[in-house]
Amino acid sequence: DARSVLPNACASSIVISLNLRELIHFVNLRLCTRAQLEIRQLAKKMCEEILKREPWLKSHLVPKCERLGYCDEDNSCKRMPLKSEVLRTEVSNG
């Protein structure tokens, strides 16, 4: 975050080595709207490139809340219902 407030910002070089399981985990966390903007943009670009060659991964390379069906973050973006709301609904229906 500090680099983005400097007058000209500072470029960073990043080298990432991930297996498929870690790639999915990384993307699930970093596509969340609560993630830092620059990392979210990086994750999105990674997904675009990967999906060109492996379109079957599309349902896996999504924000965690989309995969789970609820948000488990403390400060939710309200895109999906909170985990507690989903559990309360299941208990009352159950």
Side-chain angles (χ1 to χ4, degrees):
D1 286 338
R3 281 186 276 246
S4 65
V5 298
L6 295 173
N8 292 325
C10 295
S12 297
S13 295
I14 300 173
V15 177
I16 299 174
S17 177
L18 305 166
N19 62 28
L20 181 57
R21 183 177 176 184
E22 278 304 307
L23 171 69
I24 291 169
H25 178 70
F26 171 80
V27 169
N28 289 168
L29 295 176
R30 303 305 173 208
L31 284 182
C32 175
T33 57
R34 303 290 300 169
Q36 182 184 16
L37 176 63
E38 290 84 359
I39 298 299
R40 195 166 65 238
Q41 291 170 338
L42 171 68
K44 187 173 181 179
K45 287 184 185 286
M46 288 171 62
C47 289
E48 290 169 1
E49 292 301 314
I50 292 164
L51 292 173
K52 287 178 186 177
R53 296 194 61 187
E54 304 295 338
W56 64 273
L57 284 169
K58 186 173 183 169
S59 64
H60 299 282
L61 301 180
V62 294
K64 180 174 57 168
C65 65
E66 193 172 312
R67 185 176 53 81
L68 295 173
Y70 60 82
C71 178
D72 65 352
E73 294 291 326
D74 290 334
N75 295 316
S76 174
C77 69
K78 309 292 188 238
R79 181 174 177 222
M80 298 292 270
L82 294 173
K83 181 179 181 180
S84 60
E85 294 169 3
V86 172
L87 290 175
R88 190 176 21 228
T89 303
E90 288 177 4
V91 168
S92 64
N93 290 338

